[in-house]
């Protein structure tokens, strides 16, 4: 089991690019696989989660070429069309990847074959009823075994069996929580359904699926918090460029803000408005962040972003900032631990069902370093301190907890060891290398 040893740093300086966005990379392979024609995906994230997506579609007969040796060249997906997937010969192992399993459930719901989805210890604890419930209404069978028991109200976890149906039945569905994974699974199933499938969200979650389905020519309409899709044929336009992942950039953005006289530029970073909650939060905390947009008419907007060290202050974070920064809340907790005054993060319950319970993992780790944190149900209250003390902390197998704690260690006094850091490879294999380059 690997660990990262972090010693204090004075500043972060330079210009970097972070690897391609994880959410967009997954979707490019998935939608490319069920489209007509080939799709060349540039700046694809070659992290373990996205490789799980590639493996799953290869196992269903899709030819996917990987660049050798590195990301200089595109990944090429030879689409099979909406109905061209083959029944997998064995169960599909999806590692740690929640996005793969949940979006795949939507696609598999519309196939006329059976499949079994499994994953690692963490994925096997992630709740799947939130996806299964709607797909069952559309006509798919999903459960731990067949026939699915008549009482379907219980929570379910992988391994999951799916018996798809074609065509599915369109539904009108209101999501109980803002979730791009659940929304996307239903939209994908909607491609295989008779009629119009409509989804309403309580707050806007990331909209990469809506944007990319439009690019692939799907019959999809977005009206505020409502999205509708009709049965459609997807046609590849040939190329997709994946912008740098704002969720990976966030670790370096916070490091630059909290370390001495830092000045850092992150180039070609994705700035889709459903993902830029982290920028709004850090700016509201007093962060000096300058954004220079690139190519305004891209399907996914991009920018060069320059961050200069700043004195941060505590703020209240709530409402649509929660889904717009859901994966960045662990690193926001680090920023808050070093800010002047109190930060309150309200209604962050979704953090409890990520790769680990991130409220517990982050508050436990930061408290070990001397941070002042109170948890009240799903609210996190952090009273900032000038400095923290180095300590031995644990990722609990969660990549974002691991990287957040490494950044906290840069500003602490003494040495911080982050244990169990292999998980970083799921989303950001270059993290340690970039950190060494910048400090
Ligand atoms: C993702 C959606 C979010 C996010 C996850 C990626 C996606 O999950 O936390 O890392 O690509 O759709 P939820 O939909 O569960 O909020």
């Amino acid at each position: 089991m690997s660990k990262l040893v972090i010693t204090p740093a004075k500043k972060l300086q330079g210009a970097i690019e972070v690897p391609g966005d994880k959410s967009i990379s997954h979707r490019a392979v998935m939608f490319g696989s069920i489209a007509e024609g080939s799709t060349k995906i540039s700046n694809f994230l070659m992290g373990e989660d996205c490789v799980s997506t590639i493996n799953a579609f290869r196992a269903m007969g899709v030819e996917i070429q990987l660049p050798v040796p590195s990301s200089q060249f595109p990944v090429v997906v030879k689409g099979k069309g909406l109905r061209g997937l083959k029944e997998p010969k064995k169960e599909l192992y999806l590692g740690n990847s929640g996005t793969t399993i949940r979006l795949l459930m939507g696609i598999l719901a519309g196939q006329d074959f059976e499949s079994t989805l499994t994953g690692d210890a963490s994925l096997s604890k992630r709740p799947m009823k939130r996806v299964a419930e709607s797909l069952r209404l559309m006509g798919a069978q999903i459960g731990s075994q067949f026939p699915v028991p008549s009482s379907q109200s219980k929570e379910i976890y992988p391994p999951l069996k799916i018996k798809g149906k074609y065509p599915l039945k369109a539904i009108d569905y209101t999501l109980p929580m803002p979730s791009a994974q659940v929304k996307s699974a239903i939209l994908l199933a909607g491609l295989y359904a008779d009629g119009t499938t409509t989804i309403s969200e309580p707050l806007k979650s990331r909209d990469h699926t809506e944007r990319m389905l439009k690019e692939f020519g799907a019959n999809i309409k977005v009206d505020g918090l409502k999205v509708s899709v009709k049965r459609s044929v997807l046609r590849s336009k040939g190329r997709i460029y994946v912008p740098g992942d704002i969720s990976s950039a966030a670790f370096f953005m916070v490091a630059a803000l909290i370390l001495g006289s830092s000045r850092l530029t992150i180039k070609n970073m994705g700035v889709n408005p459903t993902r830029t909650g982290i920028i709004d939060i850090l700016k509201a905390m007093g962060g000096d962040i300058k954004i220079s947009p690139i190519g305004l008419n891209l399907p996914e907007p991009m920018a060069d972003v320059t961050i200069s060290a700043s004195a941060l202050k505590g703020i209240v974070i709530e409402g649509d900032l929660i889904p717009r920064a859901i994966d960045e809340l662990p690193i926001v907790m680090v920023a808050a631990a070093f800010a002047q005054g109190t930060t309150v993060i309200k209604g962050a319950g979704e953090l409890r069902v990520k790769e680990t319970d991130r409220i517990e993992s982050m508050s436990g780790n930061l408290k070990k370093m001397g941070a002042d944190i109170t948890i009240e149900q799903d609210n996190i209250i952090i009273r900032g301190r000038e400095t923290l003390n180095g300590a031995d902390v644990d990722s609990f197998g969660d990549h974002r907890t691991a990287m957040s704690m490494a950044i906290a260690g840069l500003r602490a006094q003494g040495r911080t060891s982050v244990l169990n850091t292999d998980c970083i490879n799921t989303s950001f294999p270059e993290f340690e290398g970039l950190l060494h380059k910048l400090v």
Side-chain angles (χ1 to χ4, degrees):
M1 197 179 283
S2 60
K3 70 173 177 183
L4 262 181
V5 177
I6 306 287
T7 49
K10 291 220 157 37
K11 64 175 178 182
L12 221 72
Q13 196 96 45
I16 56 167
E17 270 196 62
V18 291
D21 186 276
K22 183 150 84 77
S23 292
I24 299 174
S25 295
H26 280 302
R27 285 160 172 81
V29 168
M30 293 183 177
F31 303 0
S33 293
I34 57 169
E36 314 278 339
S38 279
T39 306
K40 287 188 176 158
I41 311 166
S42 301
N43 203 36
F44 180 82
L45 169 64
M46 213 47 95
E48 286 171 3
D49 276 7
C50 298
V51 171
S52 288
T53 294
I54 289 178
N55 290 341
F57 281 89
R58 279 180 165 170
M60 291 188 288
V62 181
E63 189 188 330
I64 301 174
Q65 295 165 359
L66 297 187
V68 181
S70 72
S71 56
Q72 305 294 330
F73 300 100
V75 168
V76 183
V77 180
K78 305 252 171 96
K80 289 281 181 192
L82 218 54
R83 311 233 41 230
L85 298 180
K86 292 212 176 68
E87 178 161 359
K89 292 199 175 69
K90 42 183 194 174
E91 54 186 38
L92 299 172
Y93 176 76
L94 308 172
N96 193 248
S97 183
T99 306
T100 310
I101 194 166
R102 293 204 175 118
L103 270 61
L104 198 51
M105 285 167 75
I107 294 175
L108 293 173
Q111 309 301 320
D112 40 25
F113 55 72
E114 235 180 84
S115 39
T116 304
L117 309 180
T118 70
D120 70 6
S122 155
L123 194 68
S124 306
K125 287 193 211 131
R126 311 273 308 267
M128 295 298 151
K129 185 177 145 209
R130 48 179 63 198
V131 189
E133 216 160 44
S134 51
L135 299 178
R136 283 169 180 161
L137 291 174
M138 296 177 84
Q141 287 191 53
I142 305 179
S144 312
Q145 63 203 44
F146 293 139
V148 175
S150 55
S151 154
Q152 299 185 351
S153 57
K154 276 203 316 235
E155 188 50 89
I156 54 167
Y157 304 93
L160 289 181
K161 282 181 178 295
I162 304 190
K163 195 182 275 179
K165 190 175 167 213
Y166 183 82
L168 292 165
K169 199 165 76 187
I171 53 167
D172 215 323
Y173 195 77
T174 300
L175 292 182
M177 77 292 284
S179 165
Q181 291 178 348
V182 182
K183 174 176 64 177
S184 302
I186 304 171
L187 287 173
L188 287 165
L191 297 174
Y192 295 89
D194 265 343
T196 305
T197 296
T198 302
I199 303 152
S200 307
E201 292 193 275
L203 294 165
K204 187 90 175 163
S205 65
R206 64 190 66 187
D207 67 355
H208 305 301
T209 295
E210 295 89 310
R211 285 171 186 257
M212 202 182 286
L213 281 180
K214 248 181 222 156
E215 282 297 293
F216 275 97
N219 199 335
I220 181 167
K221 221 174 75 196
V222 180
D223 180 9
L225 296 171
K226 235 181 201 179
V227 191
S228 313
V229 71
K230 289 193 174 132
R231 183 140 47 138
S232 317
V233 172
L234 303 188
R235 289 200 176 79
S236 175
K237 280 191 177 168
R239 280 187 179 277
I240 292 177
Y241 182 83
V242 182
D245 197 329
I246 188 169
S247 299
S248 298
F251 301 109
F252 292 106
M253 290 168 72
V254 169
L257 288 173
I258 63 175
L259 292 178
S261 52
S262 300
R263 193 179 157 84
L264 173 71
T265 298
I266 301 170
K267 294 182 151 301
N268 300 328
M269 190 183 94
V271 286
N272 175 320
T274 60
R275 293 284 297 283
T276 47
I278 180 67
I279 295 179
D280 296 346
I281 290 169
L282 294 174
K283 278 187 168 174
M285 293 177 84
D288 178 353
I289 302 176
K290 303 234 158 33
I291 305 194
S292 317
I294 312 165
L296 287 173
N297 290 324
L298 297 170
E300 288 285 352
M302 285 202 297
D304 290 342
V305 179
T306 298
I307 305 107
S308 305
S310 309
L312 299 181
K313 60 176 196 295
I315 58 163
V316 176
I317 299 163
E318 60 188 337
D320 80 339
L321 276 177
I322 301 295
R324 287 182 59 234
I326 189 70
D327 290 343
E328 293 69 71
L329 293 177
I331 191 64
V332 167
M333 290 175 72
V334 173
F338 294 110
Q340 213 177 62
T342 303
T343 297
V344 184
I345 305 174
K346 288 190 181 165
E350 278 296 298
L351 289 186
R352 295 200 183 276
V353 289
K354 294 297 176 190
E355 284 79 336
T356 187
D357 177 339
R358 288 181 173 157
I359 296 186
E360 287 306 315
S361 65
M362 285 303 301
S363 62
N365 278 335
L366 286 169
K367 277 184 189 169
K368 261 187 142 181
M369 297 178 76
D372 181 353
I373 306 182
T374 315
I375 307 298
E376 287 175 1
Q377 284 103 37
D378 293 336
N379 302 330
I380 309 165
I381 302 142
I382 305 175
R383 285 162 287 269
R385 297 229 150 118
E386 183 51 37
T387 189
L388 298 178
N389 302 314
D392 285 357
V393 294
D394 202 316
S395 74
F396 303 98
D398 170 27
H399 55 134
R400 300 206 195 278
T401 298
M403 291 183 275
S404 300
M405 293 316 299
I407 300 302
L410 293 176
R411 165 80 187 259
Q413 274 175 357
R415 208 176 76 142
T416 298
S417 292
V418 188
L419 308 176
N420 192 2
T421 51
D422 287 332
C423 51
I424 292 174
N425 290 328
T426 59
S427 70
F428 198 172
E430 298 84 344
F431 176 75
E432 195 180 347
L434 277 175
L435 198 60
H436 286 310
K437 182 180 150 190
L438 289 171
V439 293

